[in-house]
mmCIF file of all heavy atoms in Angstrom:
data_model
loop_
_atom_site.group_PDB
_atom_site.id
_atom_site.type_symbol
_atom_site.label_atom_id
_atom_site.label_comp_id
_atom_site.label_asym_id
_atom_site.label_seq_id
_atom_site.Cartn_x
_atom_site.Cartn_y
_atom_site.Cartn_z
ATOM 1 N N ILE J 158 -18.984 -9.876 -3.608
ATOM 2 C CA ILE J 158 -19.824 -10.796 -4.391
ATOM 3 C C ILE J 158 -20.607 -11.718 -3.446
ATOM 4 O O ILE J 158 -21.823 -11.906 -3.597
ATOM 5 C CB ILE J 158 -18.965 -11.641 -5.355
ATOM 6 C CG1 ILE J 158 -18.427 -10.749 -6.473
ATOM 7 C CG2 ILE J 158 -19.775 -12.788 -5.958
ATOM 8 C CD1 ILE J 158 -17.582 -11.466 -7.490
ATOM 9 N N LEU J 159 -19.907 -12.280 -2.473
ATOM 10 C CA LEU J 159 -20.587 -13.209 -1.547
ATOM 11 C C LEU J 159 -21.726 -12.497 -0.818
ATOM 12 O O LEU J 159 -22.839 -13.029 -0.700
ATOM 13 C CB LEU J 159 -19.583 -13.791 -0.539
ATOM 14 C CG LEU J 159 -18.532 -14.730 -1.144
ATOM 15 C CD1 LEU J 159 -17.596 -15.248 -0.059
ATOM 16 C CD2 LEU J 159 -19.203 -15.912 -1.857
ATOM 17 N N LEU J 160 -21.449 -11.285 -0.354
ATOM 18 C CA LEU J 160 -22.472 -10.551 0.388
ATOM 19 C C LEU J 160 -23.655 -10.195 -0.519
ATOM 20 O O LEU J 160 -24.821 -10.305 -0.115
ATOM 21 C CB LEU J 160 -21.859 -9.276 0.978
ATOM 22 C CG LEU J 160 -22.556 -8.720 2.216
ATOM 23 C CD1 LEU J 160 -22.428 -9.685 3.380
ATOM 24 C CD2 LEU J 160 -21.959 -7.364 2.597
ATOM 25 N N GLY J 161 -23.353 -9.803 -1.761
ATOM 26 C CA GLY J 161 -24.403 -9.456 -2.721
ATOM 27 C C GLY J 161 -25.292 -10.658 -3.012
ATOM 28 O O GLY J 161 -26.518 -10.546 -3.058
ATOM 29 N N LEU J 162 -24.653 -11.817 -3.216
ATOM 30 C CA LEU J 162 -25.431 -13.030 -3.489
ATOM 31 C C LEU J 162 -26.298 -13.395 -2.282
ATOM 32 O O LEU J 162 -27.471 -13.752 -2.418
ATOM 33 C CB LEU J 162 -24.496 -14.199 -3.824
ATOM 34 C CG LEU J 162 -23.852 -14.158 -5.210
ATOM 35 C CD1 LEU J 162 -22.883 -15.325 -5.372
ATOM 36 C CD2 LEU J 162 -24.906 -14.206 -6.308
ATOM 37 N N ALA J 163 -25.693 -13.274 -1.088
ATOM 38 C CA ALA J 163 -26.443 -13.603 0.128
ATOM 39 C C ALA J 163 -27.667 -12.699 0.259
ATOM 40 O O ALA J 163 -28.746 -13.142 0.667
ATOM 41 C CB ALA J 163 -25.545 -13.469 1.357
ATOM 42 N N ALA J 164 -27.501 -11.432 -0.138
ATOM 43 C CA ALA J 164 -28.611 -10.479 -0.018
ATOM 44 C C ALA J 164 -29.802 -10.922 -0.868
ATOM 45 O O ALA J 164 -30.955 -10.744 -0.471
ATOM 46 C CB ALA J 164 -28.150 -9.082 -0.427
ATOM 47 N N THR J 165 -29.503 -11.492 -2.059
ATOM 48 C CA THR J 165 -30.620 -11.934 -2.910
ATOM 49 C C THR J 165 -31.327 -13.141 -2.313
ATOM 50 O O THR J 165 -32.471 -13.433 -2.638
ATOM 51 C CB THR J 165 -30.149 -12.342 -4.326
ATOM 52 O OG1 THR J 165 -29.220 -13.407 -4.188
ATOM 53 C CG2 THR J 165 -29.538 -11.194 -5.062
ATOM 54 N N MET J 166 -30.631 -13.880 -1.462
ATOM 55 C CA MET J 166 -31.224 -15.097 -0.902
ATOM 56 C C MET J 166 -31.900 -14.819 0.437
ATOM 57 O O MET J 166 -32.533 -15.705 1.009
ATOM 58 C CB MET J 166 -30.147 -16.169 -0.693
ATOM 59 C CG MET J 166 -29.448 -16.563 -1.969
ATOM 60 S SD MET J 166 -28.030 -17.596 -1.565
ATOM 61 C CE MET J 166 -27.247 -17.718 -3.158
ATOM 62 N N ALA J 167 -31.737 -13.599 0.958
ATOM 63 C CA ALA J 167 -32.187 -13.345 2.327
ATOM 64 C C ALA J 167 -33.597 -12.751 2.420
ATOM 65 O O ALA J 167 -33.972 -12.215 3.462
ATOM 66 C CB ALA J 167 -31.177 -12.429 3.022
ATOM 67 N N GLY J 168 -34.344 -12.791 1.320
ATOM 68 C CA GLY J 168 -35.729 -12.322 1.376
ATOM 69 C C GLY J 168 -35.861 -10.832 1.618
ATOM 70 O O GLY J 168 -35.075 -10.035 1.103
ATOM 71 N N LYS J 169 -36.844 -10.454 2.447
ATOM 72 C CA LYS J 169 -37.175 -9.035 2.671
ATOM 73 C C LYS J 169 -35.988 -8.202 3.156
ATOM 74 O O LYS J 169 -35.703 -7.136 2.583
ATOM 75 C CB LYS J 169 -38.336 -8.936 3.683
ATOM 76 C CG LYS J 169 -39.693 -8.730 3.025
ATOM 77 C CD LYS J 169 -40.145 -7.283 3.272
ATOM 78 C CE LYS J 169 -41.058 -6.654 2.250
ATOM 79 N NZ LYS J 169 -41.620 -7.347 1.162
ATOM 80 N N PRO J 170 -35.281 -8.671 4.228
ATOM 81 C CA PRO J 170 -34.149 -7.860 4.688
ATOM 82 C C PRO J 170 -33.128 -7.630 3.570
ATOM 83 O O PRO J 170 -32.567 -6.539 3.441
ATOM 84 C CB PRO J 170 -33.529 -8.701 5.821
ATOM 85 C CG PRO J 170 -34.553 -9.703 6.171
ATOM 86 C CD PRO J 170 -35.466 -9.889 5.007
ATOM 87 N N GLY J 171 -32.922 -8.657 2.755
ATOM 88 C CA GLY J 171 -31.987 -8.549 1.623
ATOM 89 C C GLY J 171 -32.427 -7.469 0.662
ATOM 90 O O GLY J 171 -31.618 -6.645 0.213
ATOM 91 N N GLU J 172 -33.718 -7.462 0.346
ATOM 92 C CA GLU J 172 -34.238 -6.464 -0.607
ATOM 93 C C GLU J 172 -33.971 -5.043 -0.116
ATOM 94 O O GLU J 172 -33.595 -4.156 -0.875
ATOM 95 C CB GLU J 172 -35.744 -6.647 -0.788
ATOM 96 C CG GLU J 172 -36.112 -7.681 -1.842
ATOM 97 C CD GLU J 172 -37.576 -8.062 -1.769
ATOM 98 O OE1 GLU J 172 -38.390 -7.182 -1.401
ATOM 99 O OE2 GLU J 172 -37.892 -9.231 -2.033
ATOM 100 N N LYS J 173 -34.206 -4.859 1.200
ATOM 101 C CA LYS J 173 -33.992 -3.512 1.770
ATOM 102 C C LYS J 173 -32.536 -3.083 1.609
ATOM 103 O O LYS J 173 -32.241 -1.942 1.262
ATOM 104 C CB LYS J 173 -34.348 -3.523 3.260
ATOM 105 C CG LYS J 173 -35.841 -3.372 3.505
ATOM 106 C CD LYS J 173 -36.078 -3.140 4.980
ATOM 107 C CE LYS J 173 -37.504 -3.494 5.334
ATOM 108 N NZ LYS J 173 -37.654 -3.924 6.715
ATOM 109 N N ILE J 174 -31.631 -4.026 1.914
ATOM 110 C CA ILE J 174 -30.199 -3.692 1.819
ATOM 111 C C ILE J 174 -29.818 -3.396 0.369
ATOM 112 O O ILE J 174 -29.082 -2.445 0.087
ATOM 113 C CB ILE J 174 -29.325 -4.869 2.351
ATOM 114 C CG1 ILE J 174 -29.622 -5.138 3.819
ATOM 115 C CG2 ILE J 174 -27.848 -4.589 2.129
ATOM 116 C CD1 ILE J 174 -28.976 -4.165 4.757
ATOM 117 N N ILE J 175 -30.341 -4.194 -0.573
ATOM 118 C CA ILE J 175 -29.993 -3.988 -1.986
ATOM 119 C C ILE J 175 -30.432 -2.591 -2.428
ATOM 120 O O ILE J 175 -29.680 -1.854 -3.079
ATOM 121 C CB ILE J 175 -30.632 -5.077 -2.882
ATOM 122 C CG1 ILE J 175 -30.002 -6.441 -2.589
ATOM 123 C CG2 ILE J 175 -30.445 -4.739 -4.367
ATOM 124 C CD1 ILE J 175 -30.711 -7.625 -3.214
ATOM 125 N N ASP J 176 -31.644 -2.214 -2.005
ATOM 126 C CA ASP J 176 -32.162 -0.901 -2.354
ATOM 127 C C ASP J 176 -31.260 0.203 -1.792
ATOM 128 O O ASP J 176 -30.889 1.162 -2.482
ATOM 129 C CB ASP J 176 -33.581 -0.794 -1.772
ATOM 130 C CG ASP J 176 -34.335 0.344 -2.419
ATOM 131 O OD1 ASP J 176 -34.197 0.493 -3.645
ATOM 132 O OD2 ASP J 176 -35.032 1.089 -1.693
ATOM 133 N N PHE J 177 -30.899 0.018 -0.543
ATOM 134 C CA PHE J 177 -30.029 0.984 0.141
ATOM 135 C C PHE J 177 -28.685 1.106 -0.591
ATOM 136 O O PHE J 177 -28.193 2.202 -0.858
ATOM 137 C CB PHE J 177 -29.846 0.499 1.589
ATOM 138 C CG PHE J 177 -28.912 1.313 2.415
ATOM 139 C CD1 PHE J 177 -29.226 2.618 2.764
ATOM 140 C CD2 PHE J 177 -27.720 0.773 2.875
ATOM 141 C CE1 PHE J 177 -28.360 3.367 3.543
ATOM 142 C CE2 PHE J 177 -26.853 1.519 3.654
ATOM 143 C CZ PHE J 177 -27.168 2.821 3.984
ATOM 144 N N MET J 178 -28.103 -0.045 -0.922
ATOM 145 C CA MET J 178 -26.789 -0.042 -1.583
ATOM 146 C C MET J 178 -26.871 0.589 -2.964
ATOM 147 O O MET J 178 -25.926 1.242 -3.414
ATOM 148 C CB MET J 178 -26.254 -1.480 -1.711
ATOM 149 C CG MET J 178 -25.880 -2.091 -0.398
ATOM 150 S SD MET J 178 -24.417 -1.323 0.309
ATOM 151 C CE MET J 178 -23.274 -2.667 0.167
ATOM 152 N N GLN J 179 -28.006 0.391 -3.649
ATOM 153 C CA GLN J 179 -28.141 1.008 -4.962
ATOM 154 C C GLN J 179 -28.138 2.534 -4.854
ATOM 155 O O GLN J 179 -27.550 3.222 -5.694
ATOM 156 C CB GLN J 179 -29.416 0.529 -5.662
ATOM 157 C CG GLN J 179 -29.082 -0.581 -6.643
ATOM 158 C CD GLN J 179 -30.236 -1.507 -6.913
ATOM 159 O OE1 GLN J 179 -31.327 -1.333 -6.382
ATOM 160 N NE2 GLN J 179 -29.990 -2.519 -7.727
ATOM 161 N N ASN J 180 -28.770 3.025 -3.804
ATOM 162 C CA ASN J 180 -28.745 4.472 -3.572
ATOM 163 C C ASN J 180 -27.320 4.953 -3.293
ATOM 164 O O ASN J 180 -26.889 5.983 -3.808
ATOM 165 C CB ASN J 180 -29.665 4.847 -2.407
ATOM 166 C CG ASN J 180 -31.119 4.734 -2.812
ATOM 167 O OD1 ASN J 180 -31.462 4.939 -3.966
ATOM 168 N ND2 ASN J 180 -31.980 4.381 -1.881
ATOM 169 N N ILE J 181 -26.609 4.195 -2.467
ATOM 170 C CA ILE J 181 -25.217 4.586 -2.175
ATOM 171 C C ILE J 181 -24.410 4.581 -3.486
ATOM 172 O O ILE J 181 -23.616 5.478 -3.749
ATOM 173 C CB ILE J 181 -24.547 3.622 -1.171
ATOM 174 C CG1 ILE J 181 -25.280 3.643 0.145
ATOM 175 C CG2 ILE J 181 -23.083 4.018 -0.968
ATOM 176 C CD1 ILE J 181 -24.576 2.904 1.254
ATOM 177 N N ASN J 182 -24.662 3.560 -4.284
ATOM 178 C CA ASN J 182 -23.942 3.445 -5.553
ATOM 179 C C ASN J 182 -24.101 4.719 -6.389
ATOM 180 O O ASN J 182 -23.129 5.265 -6.926
ATOM 181 C CB ASN J 182 -24.480 2.227 -6.314
ATOM 182 C CG ASN J 182 -23.546 1.808 -7.436
ATOM 183 O OD1 ASN J 182 -22.444 2.331 -7.558
ATOM 184 N ND2 ASN J 182 -23.979 0.879 -8.267
ATOM 185 N N ASP J 183 -25.328 5.206 -6.472
ATOM 186 C CA ASP J 183 -25.576 6.412 -7.273
ATOM 187 C C ASP J 183 -24.850 7.622 -6.695
ATOM 188 O O ASP J 183 -24.299 8.448 -7.425
ATOM 189 C CB ASP J 183 -27.089 6.700 -7.345
ATOM 190 C CG ASP J 183 -27.794 5.670 -8.211
ATOM 191 O OD1 ASP J 183 -27.093 4.899 -8.904
ATOM 192 O OD2 ASP J 183 -29.042 5.600 -8.180
ATOM 193 N N VAL J 184 -24.846 7.706 -5.366
ATOM 194 C CA VAL J 184 -24.170 8.842 -4.724
ATOM 195 C C VAL J 184 -22.659 8.767 -4.966
ATOM 196 O O VAL J 184 -22.010 9.766 -5.310
ATOM 197 C CB VAL J 184 -24.478 8.865 -3.205
ATOM 198 C CG1 VAL J 184 -23.698 9.972 -2.514
ATOM 199 C CG2 VAL J 184 -25.974 9.039 -2.975
ATOM 200 N N VAL J 185 -22.106 7.563 -4.814
ATOM 201 C CA VAL J 185 -20.665 7.394 -5.019
ATOM 202 C C VAL J 185 -20.300 7.733 -6.464
ATOM 203 O O VAL J 185 -19.304 8.428 -6.727
ATOM 204 C CB VAL J 185 -20.249 5.940 -4.667
ATOM 205 C CG1 VAL J 185 -18.802 5.690 -5.073
ATOM 206 C CG2 VAL J 185 -20.400 5.687 -3.177
ATOM 207 N N MET J 186 -21.123 7.286 -7.406
ATOM 208 C CA MET J 186 -20.859 7.591 -8.818
ATOM 209 C C MET J 186 -20.891 9.105 -9.068
ATOM 210 O O MET J 186 -20.136 9.636 -9.862
ATOM 211 C CB MET J 186 -21.894 6.913 -9.729
ATOM 212 C CG MET J 186 -21.559 5.486 -10.142
ATOM 213 S SD MET J 186 -19.866 5.217 -10.630
ATOM 214 C CE MET J 186 -20.009 5.250 -12.386
ATOM 215 N N LYS J 187 -21.785 9.769 -8.375
ATOM 216 C CA LYS J 187 -21.880 11.227 -8.524
ATOM 217 C C LYS J 187 -20.578 11.886 -8.082
ATOM 218 O O LYS J 187 -20.066 12.804 -8.730
ATOM 219 C CB LYS J 187 -23.065 11.746 -7.681
ATOM 220 C CG LYS J 187 -23.308 13.222 -7.783
ATOM 221 C CD LYS J 187 -23.882 13.591 -9.135
ATOM 222 C CE LYS J 187 -23.616 15.031 -9.473
ATOM 223 N NZ LYS J 187 -23.917 15.356 -10.861
#
Side-chain angles (χ1 to χ4, degrees):
I158 290 181
L159 292 180
L160 205 65
L162 286 176
T165 60
M166 300 170 188
K169 261 253 152 6
E172 274 167 32
K173 278 190 201 152
I174 298 282
I175 293 169
D176 197 41
F177 176 67
M178 291 290 248
Q179 261 154 1
N180 287 329
I181 298 189
N182 196 8
D183 289 349
V184 176
V185 171
M186 273 316 260
K187 182 72 203 169

